[in-house]
Amino acid sequence: IIATWAATAAAQSVWRIAVDDGELWLATDAGVIQLDAQARRLRQWTAADGLPSSSVADLLSTRHGEWLAATSQGPALLR
């Protein structure tokens, strides 16, 4: 997983770390990064994926299983 992390995530700063159902979620200056160690899967959302900005300062899990990302250009809902 470390090799995948290095190849995928260009994050230099991590602003928030959250854990949900065994998954690690990171709000970074390079978008939102979701790490599922059990499934050995890493996923990254950036402005290229529809976020208003790749600079994400905070994350909030909703009661519907979604994530609200606070970007420097406004909020985004991850489903």
Side-chain angles (χ1 to χ4, degrees):
I1 291 187
I2 293 174
T4 304
W5 169 268
T8 306
Q12 294 182 2
S13 298
V14 175
W15 304 112
R16 175 73 66 194
I17 299 172
V19 177
D20 184 49
D21 290 330
E23 297 177 341
L24 186 68
W25 291 78
L26 307 172
T28 76
D29 60 346
V32 174
I33 299 169
Q34 173 194 17
L35 175 62
D36 184 341
Q38 186 174 14
R40 302 183 64 98
R41 183 181 66 224
L42 182 135
R43 181 167 180 195
Q44 182 175 13
W45 288 269
T46 66
D49 300 303
L51 292 180
S53 167
S54 290
S55 181
V56 181
D58 207 353
L59 287 169
L60 175 67
S61 176
T62 71
R63 62 181 170 195
H64 302 291
E66 302 163 325
W67 286 88
L68 184 60
T71 79
S72 62
Q73 299 294 314
L77 190 61
L78 302 174
R79 299 174 190 224

